Amino acid sequence: MRHILLRIIPVFVFLFSAYRWGDWKRWQRYYPTMLFFGFGDLIYITVFHDKVLWDFPTNFLVSSLDELLLIFGIFFPTTLLLLTYYPQKLYCQISYIIMWIAIYMFIEVVDLITGIIVYSNGWSIWWSLLHNTVQFPLIALHHRKPLLSWIIALIFLAIIMNIFNVPFTVIEYPIVNKMQNC
């Protein structure tokens, strides 16, 4: 029961915060970026299906529904709130992004301590910090320059796939295999 509450409480907090303080009059402006954030999670699930880097073993929902709960209950409200109050000045933008990274890292540390999240295949809290440090500026960038943010996101994905030895292809080339045996 404790794990269910620890999964549900952030969802309610993010949904309530977005309802209360989000810019609902202009939500359509933020919708493409909400989808960008959600697609990022779906891409992770697809690409790392056979070699997960983190998992939520205490899900009370089946994995696919749990991911949808995260997307609709946390990622979409996060995007709405982040973009509603995104500042104009660079110094303020940096501080604002750091605040969002700290919020997500706090939640992840609580999840880690309580066993709600489990890392595997070399992932750690430090990789999560790097991920969040890239993720939040990309969300803000996507709102202004979607194509550029997709390019950066896909490059970051390729780098992470390479670091964590997730294959890009399933094709084995016989000539390469013969050369490796020499």
Side-chain angles (χ1 to χ4, degrees):
M1 181 66 173
R2 174 180 67 129
H3 291 277
I4 293 171
L5 286 175
L6 289 172
R7 292 289 280 153
I8 292 294
I9 289 171
V11 171
F12 281 120
V13 168
F14 278 93
L15 285 172
F16 174 78
S17 298
Y19 172 76
R20 175 73 176 89
W21 294 290
D23 182 8
W24 286 100
K25 291 179 182 174
R26 296 182 291 180
W27 72 270
Q28 293 93 342
R29 289 180 57 199
Y30 311 127
Y31 183 66
T33 305
M34 290 175 180
L35 292 178
F36 173 72
F37 197 178
F39 269 114
D41 189 54
L42 295 175
I43 289 169
Y44 164 74
I45 293 165
T46 303
V47 171
F48 293 90
H49 180 268
D50 294 328
K51 192 172 184 178
V52 296
L53 302 177
W54 63 84
D55 192 24
F56 299 99
T58 58
N59 293 346
F60 65 98
L61 298 170
V62 295
S63 292
S64 55
L65 291 179
D66 190 65
E67 290 300 330
L68 292 175
L69 178 69
L70 288 174
I71 291 168
F72 288 102
I74 294 182
F75 300 157
F76 284 6
T78 294
T79 307
L80 180 66
L81 289 167
L82 179 116
L83 296 177
T84 295
Y85 297 101
Y86 197 75
Q88 297 295 317
K89 295 181 182 177
L90 180 62
Y91 173 77
C92 295
Q93 290 173 357
I94 293 169
S95 299
Y96 190 65
I97 293 292
I98 290 171
M99 179 196 75
W100 277 102
I101 293 168
I103 290 168
Y104 265 56
M105 292 307 297
F106 174 78
I107 293 168
E108 188 155 337
V109 166
V110 169
D111 287 353
L112 189 59
I113 290 169
T114 58
I116 289 174
I117 191 170
V118 174
Y119 301 138
S120 54
N121 296 310
W123 194 263
S124 69
I125 193 77
W126 302 110
W127 283 108
S128 290
L129 178 61
L130 175 64
H131 176 268
N132 288 329
T133 302
V134 171
Q135 171 180 271
F136 284 105
L138 272 181
I139 293 168
L141 178 65
H142 183 273
H143 186 60
R144 294 183 322 275
K145 298 182 185 254
L147 184 59
L148 178 59
S149 62
W150 272 111
I151 291 168
I152 294 169
L154 292 173
I155 290 169
F156 186 69
L157 172 66
I159 292 169
I160 293 297
M161 287 175 67
N162 189 44
I163 289 170
F164 291 96
N165 298 314
V166 175
F168 288 84
T169 65
V170 293
I171 300 171
E172 292 191 32
Y173 298 99
I175 195 146
V176 173
N177 292 336
K178 287 181 182 177
M179 292 174 68
Q180 290 175 346
N181 293 331
C182 293

